[in-house]
Amino acid sequence: MEFPTAVLRRGRVVLPLGGGAYWRALPGAVLWKGLEALGSRAAFPVLYFHPYEFSQDTLRAVLPGGASAREHVRESWRQYSKNARRGLIRKRLVEAAARFRLVPVRDALEEQH
């Protein structure tokens, strides 16, 4: 059985909606409208989040002493992209639970059989 990640397709445009990075980047109105539209077409669109997205701690990379300037720049960008607006995910998940019926995959499997 396959449960596809939440992706909204509008013509040639593909808008990922399922992962935490998108929940941080997209405006709330776009996220909710997209999930509403997707919910009418897919029985169980998958939302996925990494544990770090709910952590209170700021993610920081520890580079070895001989790391190049390029490695420092890359890790700085990575830190920024992983930490920016992370607090939104928890808030939006609470809102999603109020708007939609959220179920774990095991429950979705039981409903499909």
Side-chain angles (χ1 to χ4, degrees), residues 20-104:
Y22 307 106
W23 283 44
R24 289 184 282 134
L26 293 171
V30 171
L31 181 63
W32 304 134
K33 287 206 181 281
L35 288 173
E36 286 169 7
L38 187 58
S40 65
R41 287 186 254 148
F44 296 104
V46 173
L47 305 177
Y48 67 93
F49 304 97
H50 298 280
Y52 79 84
E53 292 173 316
F54 296 98
S55 174
Q56 300 295 328
D57 299 330
T58 300
L59 298 176
R60 288 187 166 63
V62 177
L63 296 175
S68 69
R70 184 178 183 176
E71 289 170 315
H72 280 281
V73 168
R74 185 179 64 230
E75 287 307 315
S76 292
W77 171 252
R78 197 166 158 172
Q79 267 182 223
Y80 169 76
S81 67
K82 297 293 183 188
N83 288 303
R85 299 178 57 158
R86 210 171 54 194
L88 273 178
I89 296 173
R90 183 182 306 271
K91 291 175 190 172
R92 287 184 170 174
L93 188 55
V94 168
E95 186 172 347
R99 290 172 173 260
F100 306 100
R101 179 176 166 252
L102 304 180
V103 297

